[in-house]
Amino acid sequence: MAIEGFDYKEFANMMSSQAGELVPKNFNDMQKNYVVKTLTNFTLLAGEAISNDESLNFNADQAVFVTQIIAEWSFHKSIDLVHSGIMPEHWDGVMQKIAFTIFEIAKQAIQKEIPQDKTLQLIEHHVDKTYKEAIEDLEKRGIISSEISQQAASQSNIDDMAKQVQEQEEAERAAQAEAQANLQAQVQPEPQDGGIDAPVPTSGGRPAVGDRLIRVKSIAMVLKLLDDKRAKEVLKQFPPEVAEELQRYVKTPRLEEQVDLRIALDCLKDLKMIIPKKKKLSQDNMVREMDKVFTQHQMEEVEQVVRQERPFVKRFVSQSYEGDYYQGVPLRVAKILVNYVKENMKTEEGEQPKE
């Protein structure tokens, strides 16, 4: 019996497509195909089992939760097996044990109404335990050496990905801080007898590189190319008096003729680091965008906006309110839904009360 709002085939295809984009770049075709195929097969098997087992009595959210967990762990542990040194003909046996373990624990956790965060911790513990036990079994049977066993047991793609994200964020913060310090140094006042608008000193027919006025105008020229929202965010990085000065020069006609291209390019490099970047399309970002809506409006108001929409739209809104991403909605569709809700909330705010 099908579960309303849960199309496990469509869900498996969506997860498969996402997995194909996240497989390590250094994997060859065989390795990449194994990861994607394994995730797809176990997702389909889990979805079909849940849909056909009426005794489970799962709703769409519960079905998606279990299927998604199996898909995600199938992805991570199949990557660990590729890195493990274990021969490919033994990978399926390990993955089957892991998928079965996840399915049984998730099923029992839902039936016992264990909170999702506790369920996830429980599943992670048993996935790790099952994986290592399967490797130990291969070693006991003489299929792999103790060296390979140790190498395989030390693999953790999920930890590696988390570490990479953390390192990337730290590197970006450090680069942003350095760029901001560079720009602040560019606009520090330099004592000049004639004041800031004194004639620009030149060297060989070109403005002197160290001249503050030229640096300020160069930053202003770059700001002139940005949209208002991003320009305002950049201006916040400067003291109020400098921000006001930059705004004046932004309005200067033919400003490009008054700057040194070399300095403008240097400024642009630093500005690129502190200019607010377009947010990546991710589940966390979609939930955060919806959270901004909920901080300004009551849930009842948002529900009114989507009251005539299809069930999956309402489910997306309700799970976002709980801080979760509804997996039944692809990211591109989620982006459309977030914008739809935002625009309609603005419309309602702008409506004049009827007399």
Side-chain angles (χ1 to χ4, degrees):
M1 178 180 175
I3 299 174
E4 184 181 356
F6 177 61
D7 184 338
Y8 70 87
K9 292 181 181 178
E10 181 182 351
F11 184 76
N13 288 333
M14 180 181 70
M15 297 300 290
S16 175
S17 176
Q18 292 180 13
E21 298 174 0
L22 296 174
V23 173
K25 302 299 183 185
N26 62 338
F27 276 20
N28 60 36
D29 288 343
M30 184 279 287
Q31 294 166 336
K32 179 178 179 178
N33 290 337
Y34 179 78
V35 173
V36 176
K37 183 179 178 182
T38 299
L39 176 147
T40 305
N41 288 344
F42 283 132
T43 306
L44 285 170
L45 287 171
E48 184 178 17
I50 292 169
S51 295
N52 293 338
D53 190 344
E54 295 184 15
S55 66
L56 293 176
N57 197 30
F58 281 179
N59 60 34
D61 293 339
Q62 293 167 331
V64 167
F65 174 71
V66 176
T67 313
Q68 181 197 0
I69 293 301
I70 289 178
E72 290 181 352
W73 278 112
S74 295
F75 175 80
H76 290 301
K77 299 316 290 183
S78 59
I79 288 178
D80 287 346
L81 284 171
V82 173
H83 286 142
S84 70
I86 297 172
M87 296 300 291
E89 57 263 32
H90 303 296
W91 294 350
D92 282 349
V94 177
M95 291 305 306
Q96 287 167 6
K97 292 176 182 177
I98 290 172
F100 177 78
T101 297
I102 296 171
F103 187 81
E104 288 300 313
I105 291 176
K107 182 174 67 174
Q108 292 176 32
I110 289 174
Q111 291 171 335
K112 293 178 182 178
E113 299 183 351
I114 297 175
Q116 279 194 8
D117 58 340
K118 299 293 184 184
T119 301
L120 291 172
Q121 293 175 12
L122 193 62
I123 288 173
E124 182 174 3
H125 168 76
H126 281 280
V127 165
D128 185 58
K129 182 172 180 286
T130 301
Y131 175 70
K132 290 179 177 177
E133 286 177 350
I135 291 168
E136 290 172 3
D137 180 60
L138 291 174
E139 183 184 357
K140 288 177 182 177
R141 290 159 52 196
I143 294 174
I144 60 175
S145 66
S146 60
E147 290 78 15
I148 293 295
S149 177
Q150 291 176 13
Q151 177 178 319
S154 67
Q155 301 300 320
S156 180
N157 183 67
I158 191 168
D159 290 340
D160 291 342
M161 288 183 69
K163 184 179 179 182
Q164 288 172 7
V165 170
Q166 183 179 1
E167 289 175 349
Q168 183 179 357
E169 289 177 348
E170 289 175 353
E172 287 178 355
R173 283 195 292 269
Q176 187 176 31
E178 182 181 357
Q180 186 172 346
N182 288 339
L183 286 171
Q184 292 282 8
Q186 295 271 3
V187 298
Q188 287 299 317
E190 296 175 356
Q192 293 183 10
D193 294 338
I196 189 169
D197 289 320
V200 179
T202 60
S203 176
R206 297 176 63 86
V209 174
D211 184 78
R212 178 186 181 276
L213 178 57
I214 293 300
R215 294 197 298 271
V216 171
K217 287 184 176 181
S218 297
I219 295 173
M221 190 187 79
V222 177
L223 289 175
K224 198 171 183 178
L225 302 175
L226 301 178
D227 59 69
D228 290 342
K229 183 178 179 181
R230 290 190 172 188
K232 287 177 182 177
E233 289 297 322
V234 172
L235 286 169
K236 290 178 183 177
Q237 312 297 324
F238 298 97
E241 64 276 10
V242 176
E244 185 179 344
E245 182 183 5
L246 286 166
Q247 287 177 301
R248 288 204 310 270
Y249 285 120
V250 165
K251 299 173 183 177
T252 301
R254 304 173 71 177
L255 179 63
E256 63 277 1
E257 297 177 6
Q258 304 176 42
V259 304
D260 186 315
L261 183 58
R262 293 171 302 174
I263 302 175
L265 290 174
D266 286 340
C267 292
L268 181 59
K269 290 178 184 177
D270 290 327
L271 281 169
K272 279 183 176 179
M273 296 303 303
I274 66 171
I275 290 173
K277 297 178 177 62
K278 290 184 177 180
K279 294 179 179 176
K280 282 181 67 177
L281 198 58
S282 69
Q283 296 179 4
D284 287 342
N285 281 338
M286 293 300 96
V287 173
R288 277 195 287 269
E289 289 299 307
M290 285 299 297
D291 187 55
K292 292 178 183 177
V293 175
F294 296 129
T295 58
Q296 299 175 9
H297 303 276
Q298 295 294 325
M299 179 58 173
E300 291 76 12
E301 297 177 76
V302 183
E303 286 178 330
Q304 282 298 309
V305 168
V306 298
R307 65 187 181 280
Q308 301 295 332
E309 299 299 327
R310 296 168 66 182
F312 80 88
V313 177
K314 297 176 183 177
R315 192 169 294 119
F316 171 78
V317 170
S318 63
Q319 287 202 208
S320 296
Y321 184 72
E322 298 296 329
D324 296 322
Y325 182 86
Y326 175 50
Q327 298 297 333
V329 176
L331 279 171
R332 291 181 179 84
V333 177
K335 179 65 175 176
I336 296 172
L337 292 180
V338 170
N339 290 337
Y340 168 79
V341 171
K342 284 183 175 180
E343 289 303 316
N344 277 273
M345 295 309 297
K346 285 180 182 178
T347 300
E348 291 195 355
E349 285 175 353
E351 287 178 351
Q352 297 295 322
K354 294 180 180 179
E355 298 182 357

